[in-house]
Amino acid sequence: MSCQVQFRQVYGVFLTLKSLDVNTNQLEGEIPDTISNLTNLGAISLFTNKFSGSISHDFGKNSPGLFYVSFSNNSFTGELPPELCSGFALQNLTVNGNNFTGSLPACLRNCTELLRVRFDGNQFTGNITNAFGIHPKVDYIAFSDNQFVGEISREWGDIPVAVGNLSLLFNLNLSRNHLTGDIPQIVGNLEKLQYLDLSGNKLAGDIPVDLEKCDPLLSLDLSHNNLSGQIPRQLGSLSNLQYLLDLSSNLVSGTIPQDLGKLASLEILNVSHNDLSGRIPTSFSTSMRSLLSFDFSYNELTGPIPTDGVFKNPNVSKEAFVGNSGLCGVAEGLIPFTDIIRATEDFNGKHCIGSGGSGNVYKAILPHGAQVVAVKKLNLSDSEEIQLNNQMFQNEIRMMMKVRHRNIVKLYGFYSSRELMYLVYEYVEKGSLRSMLYDEAECEVLGWPTRLKIVRGLAHAIAYLHHDCSPPIIHRDISLNNILVESGFEPKLSDFGIARLLNPHSTNRTAVVGSYGYIAPELALTMRITEKCDIYSFGVVALEIMLAKHPRDVLSSLSSNSNNQKLFLMDVLDQRIPPPNGQIAKQVVFAVTVGLACARIKPESRPQCVLWHKNCQREHKLAWMNLWG
């Protein structure tokens, strides 16, 4: 039996009804038009059901004593009844969480008894001022998530005066509409206001200085507007501000006032996506002890990131400082850059542990020995300096920071200024594989099982970059210099993506990059970067690890059609250590076979992947699986 039929069956009983309360049930169907004939109705509560359809056009017309109406959290449609407040007794009107449309009823202008109004979460349109007048007793106004338009300061008519005289108002929420114009200074006269949310509109102009008069304010959200000017230092006088101060996604400029540090009770601060400059006030780290979350990202902030107080909280988001090219700190890793400068004595040469075409690498032991990192200072050309602050450029680095693999060096973060770029990596103890392989004293520790372990780990790292990252990452510069070895002889592939960073104009076409002797032959002709380029470099490296010399002569000999001489593997393997035997010998043979397959001249003849490929000979499958694990 439908709700409508039930209403009609007992309609005679309803004629003297003063209160109807059926909230929080599973009732459904439409509300019958005859409900508008209940002349004694004072309160109706239908919230949190499954009612649908529209409300009778005459509802309220014959109910002069109607003081409480709640249609919240249903599926009502259509417009609100035009005579909803014809008796001028209405105190509570909550219709939030429906699909009401149209403008607000004009009769609301004279509902001077209103205490609580909620229209949020509907599809209302038009100017709020067409219906909303002077309501000196109201304490709660919520119009969020609608389609209201108009300028608060000009088109609201009496509303600025009315709002300024709402001495009891503690909640004002106009968020996520299409309101324009300035925020009226008179908002500061709301002496009881605790929650103010004007976010998600198109408001412009300055943030009102008079907001400092709203001393009870607990939460202030002005985000996602077009506000400009500076952050008023007077906001620091809002001593009770506890939950939120959100000024993000505006056009606010200038410095962050030191006075905001007085907000000792504030838990959430967001000033991201503005044009703020200067330093983050040091008072924030020492005075704002209640901060649980903060966001300074995507501004023009400079100087050091504070390193004490709330900024040392391990739960702080690593995204809180990104997009500020002038911040002196490894923002994404929350490692203060000032600590790195001290640890390297301003990048003194005695702390340099390596150098290459892309830059020098320094070892930095952070204060109190808490952490050791490697810092790469990039060599940038003039064109690359121009790209340095490009958003795409920095997004590339942030993509690299998400890479997580046991055989890939972890990138902690970066620091950039207008002319410099530093990348901060985990420190790998034993250094580069090249230095170990070609050091007569070190080569003996690189026995055949260790070399197979290194080749295997390198293969897993490349396969991860090519197949497990989205989008795939092509290293572009795989060589012995870029393979580091940690204490357990586990290999770590480093400098992944560096060549891409320094050639940011194209995704798959580039100038010839990489280390001489490891670059795929087709690059000189096609200038096209593909995964097959990395596979070629891997093949060269795998052979070099086994031969302890660059395999160019071996590869040249095998590719020459006129050379009929046979090549014996035992003659070309590293002669400084005893030859492999048993199962290890079989794996060495297979590793060399894989290296030769990967280093073929024609890219289409190389394997699709360094771990396994469908064209591999059947008899090699088990050996391949045993080798790579």
Side-chain angles (χ1 to χ4, degrees):
M1 185 181 294
S2 73
C3 175
Q4 185 172 6
V5 173
Q6 290 175 4
F7 270 120
R8 287 173 176 169
Q9 285 180 338
V10 294
Y11 175 66
V13 179
F14 280 4
L15 287 176
T16 59
L17 192 68
K18 293 183 178 180
S19 177
L20 175 62
D21 187 347
V22 295
N23 70 78
T24 318
N25 285 288
Q26 296 293 318
L27 298 176
E28 58 185 25
E30 298 185 6
I31 305 301
D33 292 347
T34 49
I35 200 169
S36 62
N37 296 326
L38 300 178
T39 57
N40 293 318
L41 189 65
I44 180 170
S45 180
L46 308 179
F47 68 83
T48 314
N49 280 287
K50 297 181 179 179
F51 292 124
S52 58
S54 60
I55 307 297
S56 170
H57 184 82
D58 293 327
F59 180 77
K61 179 179 180 180
N62 301 314
S63 305
L66 192 64
F67 69 91
Y68 184 96
V69 175
S70 179
F71 299 146
S72 302
N73 301 320
N74 283 286
S75 298
F76 289 120
T77 56
E79 298 185 2
L80 287 179
E83 300 193 56
L84 191 60
C85 188
S86 59
F88 309 116
L90 198 59
Q91 297 177 12
N92 187 95
L93 177 58
T94 56
V95 300
N96 52 292
N98 283 284
N99 294 305
F100 286 117
T101 56
S103 301
L104 298 184
C107 67
L108 293 180
R109 290 189 63 85
N110 299 316
C111 285
T112 56
E113 298 298 313
L114 275 176
L115 303 176
R116 174 161 294 206
V117 186
R118 291 198 62 179
F119 297 120
D120 44 307
N122 283 282
Q123 298 295 322
F124 289 118
T125 57
N127 291 331
I128 299 173
T129 56
N130 291 342
F132 209 69
I134 299 174
H135 306 287
K137 298 180 181 180
V138 74
D139 62 11
Y140 192 105
I141 298 175
F143 291 157
S144 65
D145 296 288
N146 280 285
Q147 306 294 323
F148 290 122
V149 298
E151 293 189 11
I152 294 178
S153 59
R154 188 180 63 200
E155 294 187 19
W156 271 36
D158 291 335
I159 287 301
V161 177
V163 169
N165 288 296
L166 295 178
S167 58
L168 300 178
L169 188 66
F170 75 88
N171 183 92
L172 178 59
N173 189 343
L174 307 177
S175 62
R176 294 178 293 281
N177 281 284
H178 302 291
L179 301 177
T180 57
D182 300 336
I183 301 173
Q185 293 280 347
I186 204 162
V187 170
N189 294 338
L190 303 174
E191 297 179 355
K192 301 286 186 181
L193 195 62
Q194 297 180 30
Y195 301 90
L196 177 59
D197 190 348
L198 304 178
S199 63
N201 283 287
K202 301 175 183 179
L203 301 175
D206 294 344
I207 299 171
V209 174
D210 279 6
L211 281 172
E212 66 172 327
K213 298 177 182 178
C214 301
D215 191 54
L217 207 58
L218 299 174
S219 177
L220 175 60
D221 192 347
L222 304 179
S223 64
H224 293 87
N225 279 289
N226 298 316
L227 299 174
S228 56
Q230 299 188 1
I231 300 175
R233 61 175 181 80
Q234 290 84 353
L235 294 185
S237 300
L238 298 172
S239 57
N240 291 304
L241 203 60
Q242 176 181 345
Y243 301 119
L244 173 70
L245 174 58
D246 194 343
L247 309 177
S248 64
S249 299
N250 279 287
L251 304 172
V252 179
S253 58
T255 59
I256 301 174
Q258 286 275 357
D259 292 61
L260 293 190
K262 299 176 182 178
L263 302 176
S265 300
L266 188 64
E267 296 178 355
I268 302 174
L269 172 66
N270 192 344
V271 294
S272 66
H273 295 270
N274 279 290
D275 295 318
L276 296 170
S277 57
R279 299 191 171 200
I280 299 173
T282 55
S283 60
F284 283 22
S285 60
T286 56
S287 302
M288 303 178 76
R289 301 183 181 230
S290 297
L291 273 183
L292 302 176
S293 172
F294 52 81
D295 194 344
F296 300 99
S297 63
Y298 299 100
N299 282 285
E300 298 296 332
L301 297 173
T302 57
I305 297 173
T307 60
D308 53 356
V310 296
F311 292 93
K312 292 186 70 173
N313 188 331
N315 295 321
V316 167
S317 170
K318 294 183 179 181
E319 303 297 320
F321 303 105
V322 301
N324 290 280
S325 59
L327 272 180
C328 298
V330 184
E332 280 74 1
L334 296 180
I335 302 173
F337 194 69
T338 50
D339 288 351
I340 291 176
I341 292 177
R342 294 190 194 100
T344 59
E345 299 179 71
D346 199 12
F347 297 96
N348 189 294
K350 67 181 182 181
H351 296 283
C352 183
I353 57 174
S355 61
S358 59
N360 295 334
V361 181
Y362 299 83
K363 179 180 179 181
I365 302 175
L366 299 181
H368 312 298
Q371 189 177 8
V372 182
V373 296
V375 186
K376 167 159 281 194
K377 181 180 179 182
L378 292 183
N379 297 326
L380 301 176
S381 67
D382 292 340
S383 61
E384 289 157 355
E385 288 176 14
I386 294 173
Q387 288 291 330
L388 191 60
N389 292 316
N390 184 282
Q391 191 60 56
M392 184 179 296
F393 186 95
Q394 296 194 12
N395 286 342
E396 291 277 352
I397 300 179
R398 281 190 270 287
M399 179 184 70
M400 291 160 53
M401 290 175 59
K402 295 178 181 179
V403 170
R404 296 289 188 274
H405 193 277
R406 63 178 298 184
N407 297 117
I408 297 177
V409 175
K410 177 178 172 55
L411 176 61
Y412 290 128
F414 69 96
Y415 162 70
S416 65
S417 67
R418 297 190 182 280
E419 298 178 351
L420 297 172
M421 171 66 78
Y422 300 88
L423 300 177
V424 181
Y425 295 94
E426 68 171 307
Y427 176 73
V428 182
E429 184 177 344
K430 289 186 174 296
S432 76
L433 178 59
R434 176 176 293 280
S435 62
M436 295 184 66
L437 185 63
Y438 289 105
D439 188 310
E440 295 298 327
E442 291 278 352
C443 73
E444 293 184 3
V445 303
L446 293 178
W448 298 113
T450 300
R451 299 188 191 201
L452 290 169
K453 179 180 181 179
I454 291 172
V455 173
R456 182 187 305 119
L458 178 60
H460 278 287
I462 296 172
Y464 171 84
L465 293 175
H466 288 183
H467 304 291
D468 295 331
C469 291
S470 182
I473 296 176
I474 302 176
H475 189 290
R476 302 185 178 207
D477 191 16
I478 298 172
S479 68
L480 289 187
N481 287 329
N482 289 330
I483 301 171
L484 307 181
V485 183
E486 60 182 10
S487 56
F489 292 99
E490 193 72 44
K492 294 270 192 177
L493 183 60
S494 70
D495 278 4
F496 61 95
I498 294 296
R500 170 78 180 98
L501 286 176
L502 299 183
N503 294 271
H505 298 290
S506 174
T507 301
N508 56 15
R509 291 185 182 273
T510 180
V512 177
V513 296
S515 301
Y516 178 75
Y518 302 88
I519 303 171
E522 66 268 18
L523 277 183
L525 297 175
T526 66
M527 307 292 284
R528 183 176 176 84
I529 287 286
T530 67
E531 287 89 342
K532 290 294 185 77
C533 298
D534 279 355
I535 289 175
Y536 178 87
S537 301
F538 166 78
V540 174
V541 167
L543 292 173
E544 188 169 3
I545 291 172
M546 297 301 166
L547 276 57
K549 63 180 180 180
H550 193 282
R552 62 176 60 87
D553 293 338
V554 172
L555 294 174
S556 176
S557 177
L558 291 174
S559 63
S560 175
N561 293 327
S562 61
N563 191 342
N564 295 321
Q565 292 182 341
K566 292 184 178 180
L567 195 65
F568 294 96
L569 180 58
M570 290 304 174
D571 293 338
V572 295
L573 289 179
D574 190 352
Q575 302 295 307
R576 298 172 299 174
I577 59 176
N581 54 55
Q583 186 64 29
I584 295 297
K586 294 180 181 179
Q587 293 185 1
V588 169
V589 170
F590 186 72
V592 173
T593 303
V594 171
L596 291 172
C598 291
R600 289 170 181 159
I601 298 296
K602 296 181 178 180
E604 61 271 16
S605 64
R606 298 172 201 151
Q608 295 294 327
C609 177
V610 292
L611 290 182
W612 175 252
H613 62 101
K614 62 183 179 181
N615 296 324
C616 182
Q617 296 179 20
R618 186 182 302 273
E619 60 269 22
H620 286 162
K621 181 174 182 179
L622 181 60
W624 192 297
M625 295 175 65
N626 289 336
L627 174 64
W628 303 138

